[in-house]
Amino acid sequence: MTMETLNIALPKGRLGEKVYELFQAAGYDCPALLEPNRKLIFENEAAAVRYFWAKPSDVAIYVERGAADIGVAGKDILMEYTPDVYELLDLGLGRCRMCVAGFAGFRDDGARTLRVATKFPNITRDYYAAQSRPIDIIHLNGSIELAPIVGLSDVIVDIVETGKTLLENGLAPLAEVAPISARLIANKARFKFVGERIDTLCRRIAAIREQECSK
Amino acid sequence: MTGTIPPAEQLAAQLRALYQRYGFKHYRVSKFEEYDLYARNKRFLTSPHILTFSDTNGRLMALKPDITLSIINNTRDDDRTRKVWYTENVYRVPRGGSGFQEIMQAGLEMLGAVDLYAMGEVLMLAARSLEAVSPRYVLELSHMGILTGVLDTLAVPAGAAEAILAAFEAKNAHGLASVCAGAGVDAADAALLERLCRLSGPARSAVKKLLALPLPPAAKQAAVELDQLTGLLTLFGPYNATVDLSLINDTDYYNGLLFRGYVDGVAAPVLTGGRYDSLIHRMGKRGGAIGFAVYLNELERFLAQPAAQDVDTLLVYGPGDDPAAVIAAVQAEIAQGRTVRAQLAGGTAVTYGRCIRPDGKEMT
């Protein structure tokens, strides 16, 4: 019996390339993926896998809606959009932190509604709701660090990788909201029919990650 | 033949016949209900959004986002057991959607004395409902009593319990381990939770594995019930069921057996159901309750292949043609089992298999 093809959505960019290397090492290679062309979908019939690149924030939508059986998405996206998918593996790639940041030494005395600028309104709302802190969310789409500098907000909630951008602008991480890394996700319905293949893939990738971490 | 009864309606008719064979009675509900019913049970609903309007007497009404709540609300609290089925439209925002949709669903509910046989029968009807859609289906079973039975012995803070449930539902074993570590759950209990989270597979073998685990008494009792039910289901005939304990639901409403149905080719569950005694008790009624809904809207795309053409035959006649000849030609096509559209030359454009004149001659 022929194996059913597994549809895999990868996030475009550096993280996606690293993820593909991991999949390749686990035996799910697809040489066409690295060819310089404008194709959108890449298939290796022998390995029964079909890959496509998607905008990182869209990967979870492709998986939730079943256009992809599995995919790789950042924990920030999963926390923000809470897609109804299985989160099967922490790939440990693209590690960073979701942080509250502001001017170093900023003190929230609780006397006023806190103005928070962010690309992640849901994560921000949940974080401050857990602390019973009233906030005014200012939803921005980019250059979040600018907000406190020009007085648009008191603090920001954003992803911090090295903290260099913050530092260069006189800002600093004030509190960690959550650690972030790339996660392997699966469509729940498809998992009922190709679950064994997905489990095997997860086991192989987890073994490679363990080897890499123990080096 | 082009243009027969839509497949979703055919399926609804098949399900109706199936439920009636087992003595379930038709239940009709109106399209709206007092808003208060849903406001009090908002977490039972799959979406918090409700379409509301004011009635002539000023009461706030809602277009039904759910049928189960209405059936319970409109059922008298007595010792009688009710078995009902319905096919109704509900109005809600689907998960991931950005606006209200009219969603057609069929389902059944049993209220009153719900024993092992009753649960087995409902499960069997769920399996047969899925079978009516496609032979490639999976009925996934779980039991709320297993996870709650374990969690009750751990005495973790409410926030941590919520995080454990969320990780469990996402099969997020790494997240589960981290929440357990943060909440001070001891290693053996954390390992048990992780094994339960990963436990899935064909029903009978998965239940066997489940019974071999060191479960606390309440969880064990739930596992035994799942064992009895999967055994009972076998007696009804062949079925395709799996057990997956990551299937959970709100503990304030659901207290026992839970199940979901999937069909290969549809990216979302097409059937959900379970035992919801806690809900009817919250609504001040006695007894037990079990039921399920089949989401016919999820199946629309799966069942209906796009029609290649609007009609099989286009019959074109002119102003001078004898109407009797047109009638005869139309009836001849119908008698052949073909769909036919008769129209004056130059009428609305449709796609068709062949085009004829009233004398039967084909036109190009």
Side-chain angles (χ1 to χ4, degrees):
Chain A
M1 205 172 82
T2 54
M3 236 187 324
E4 206 172 334
T5 300
L6 213 51
N7 291 298
I8 306 169
L10 294 181
K12 269 185 206 162
R14 207 155 37 102
L15 174 65
E17 285 162 18
K18 275 192 200 169
V19 170
Y20 172 66
E21 282 170 21
L22 199 54
F23 277 65
Q24 191 180 27
Y28 301 90
D29 64 313
C30 182
L33 198 73
L34 302 175
E35 287 168 9
N37 56 41
R38 287 175 175 265
K39 277 175 75 176
L40 297 172
I41 294 179
F42 308 89
E43 187 167 353
N44 178 355
E45 282 182 29
V49 283
R50 188 183 295 124
Y51 288 95
F52 57 88
W53 298 111
K55 192 175 170 180
S57 54
D58 289 343
V59 167
I61 299 172
Y62 283 98
V63 175
E64 184 181 30
R65 296 270 183 153
D69 301 320
I70 59 170
V72 172
K75 183 66 180 174
D76 51 328
I77 300 297
L78 302 181
M79 286 170 70
E80 180 63 23
Y81 300 106
T82 58
D84 190 18
V85 294
Y86 289 136
E87 182 186 327
L88 299 174
L89 211 55
D90 180 352
L91 297 177
L93 298 172
R95 279 197 192 282
C96 52
R97 298 180 297 154
M98 180 71 68
C99 285
V100 177
F103 285 111
F106 171 82
R107 186 177 157 269
D108 176 17
D109 62 6
R112 293 176 301 177
T113 300
L114 189 70
R115 295 172 308 156
V116 189
T118 186
K119 257 194 289 191
F120 304 96
N122 294 326
I123 295 175
T124 303
R125 195 174 296 114
D126 290 349
Y127 175 73
Y128 282 103
Q131 300 176 23
S132 307
R133 177 71 175 99
I135 57 164
D136 175 16
I137 294 179
I138 301 159
H139 189 179
L140 296 178
N141 295 304
S143 301
I144 314 295
E145 297 88 349
L146 188 61
I149 297 169
V150 297
L152 180 63
S153 73
D154 300 313
V155 292
I156 61 171
V157 168
D158 203 12
I159 287 172
V160 177
E161 282 186 61
T162 59
K164 216 174 150 196
T165 314
L166 291 177
L167 195 68
E168 282 178 6
N169 290 288
L171 305 172
L174 303 173
E176 182 177 306
V177 176
I180 304 293
S181 56
R183 311 294 164 100
L184 193 148
I185 58 174
N187 175 273
K188 288 188 170 181
R190 288 295 293 153
F191 192 84
K192 312 301 159 199
F193 299 96
V194 287
E196 272 181 37
R197 280 208 74 197
I198 296 174
D199 271 339
T200 308
L201 179 144
C202 284
R203 272 197 304 275
R204 288 186 190 173
I205 287 178
I208 292 169
R209 285 297 299 159
E210 259 175 48
Q211 272 176 10
E212 285 176 355
C213 292
S214 62
K215 271 180 194 167
Chain B
M1 185 172 77
T2 305
T4 50
I5 301 166
E9 282 177 36
Q10 288 179 42
L11 176 65
Q14 264 178 281
L15 297 181
R16 191 180 312 147
L18 170 68
Y19 306 151
Q20 280 174 344
R21 271 205 298 279
Y22 286 86
F24 283 74
K25 280 174 69 177
H26 186 205
Y27 193 96
R28 274 199 69 85
V29 285
S30 78
K31 287 206 181 314
F32 44 87
E33 185 88 55
E34 276 198 57
Y35 170 74
D36 187 50
L37 171 67
Y38 306 111
R40 278 185 280 121
N41 297 288
K42 239 177 180 172
R43 283 194 298 123
F44 182 73
L45 305 173
T46 51
S47 151
H49 306 287
I50 299 169
L51 267 176
T52 57
F53 63 96
S54 290
D55 206 347
T56 49
N57 56 9
R59 281 187 311 174
L60 188 60
M61 307 297 287
L63 279 175
K64 282 193 164 71
D66 169 85
I67 302 295
T68 304
L69 285 171
S70 282
I71 293 180
I72 299 172
N73 196 41
N74 296 308
T75 300
R76 196 186 300 166
D77 184 26
D78 54 28
D79 292 328
R80 291 169 61 197
T81 293
R82 285 154 174 102
K83 290 182 169 192
V84 297
W85 66 268
Y86 61 83
T87 310
E88 297 287 343
N89 287 330
V90 293
Y91 304 86
R92 61 178 175 233
V93 180
R95 203 185 152 85
S98 52
F100 279 96
Q101 281 184 17
E102 186 176 32
I103 294 166
M104 189 184 181
Q105 68 180 51
L108 59 82
E109 311 285 351
M110 183 175 170
L111 307 173
V114 179
D115 63 352
L116 202 61
Y117 170 79
M119 285 193 281
E121 185 182 78
V122 169
L123 273 186
M124 174 275 295
L125 288 170
R128 297 288 169 261
S129 301
L130 292 167
E131 219 168 54
V133 180
S134 163
R136 279 186 58 78
Y137 76 91
V138 168
L139 179 65
E140 180 182 74
L141 313 177
S142 182
H143 198 299
M144 285 301 291
I146 296 165
L147 184 56
T148 54
V150 174
L151 283 180
D152 286 348
T153 61
L154 302 183
V156 289
E162 223 169 85
I164 287 175
L165 290 172
F168 213 86
E169 195 173 12
K171 282 189 182 291
N172 178 355
H174 50 277
L176 185 64
S178 129
V179 177
C180 286
V185 175
D186 77 46
D189 289 330
L192 174 63
L193 280 172
E194 193 193 325
R195 290 180 74 179
L196 290 174
C197 170
R198 290 182 191 276
L199 200 147
S200 67
R204 293 301 286 158
S205 60
V207 168
K208 216 179 232 178
K209 283 184 203 160
L210 177 64
L211 288 168
L213 293 175
L215 299 171
K220 187 85 175 181
Q221 202 181 330
V224 168
E225 188 174 275
L226 206 49
D227 181 39
Q228 289 170 325
L229 278 168
T230 50
L232 207 63
L233 201 45
T234 315
L235 301 177
F236 278 110
Y239 63 92
N240 187 16
T242 60
V243 164
D244 190 325
L245 299 181
S246 73
L247 169 58
I248 55 174
N249 214 322
D250 196 318
T251 49
D252 284 345
Y253 300 106
Y254 293 91
N255 56 304
L257 174 72
L258 278 182
F259 49 98
R260 247 182 213 168
Y262 297 90
V263 167
D264 197 9
V266 183
V270 297
L271 179 151
T272 64
R275 183 93 192 245
Y276 51 89
D277 299 12
S278 305
L279 171 65
I280 64 165
H281 298 158
R282 275 172 74 98
M283 291 174 72
K285 312 229 164 160
R286 292 168 290 171
I290 186 169
F292 64 80
V294 181
Y295 304 114
L296 297 171
N297 62 309
E298 293 286 357
L299 292 166
E300 234 170 27
R301 192 171 291 271
F302 174 77
L303 294 170
Q305 296 304 316
Q309 59 209 22
D310 296 320
V311 285
D312 297 321
T313 305
L314 177 66
L315 194 155
V316 179
Y317 60 91
D321 281 322
D322 180 1
V326 176
I327 292 171
V330 165
Q331 285 178 334
E333 288 299 307
I334 301 277
Q336 293 294 318
R338 290 193 282 265
T339 56
V340 56
R341 173 179 167 126
Q343 69 176 46
L344 269 170
T348 316
V350 290
T351 55
Y352 51 84
R354 65 188 195 123
C355 182
I356 59 167
R357 289 187 39 78
D359 58 12
K361 281 189 183 153
E362 293 225 11
M363 294 172 70
T364 50

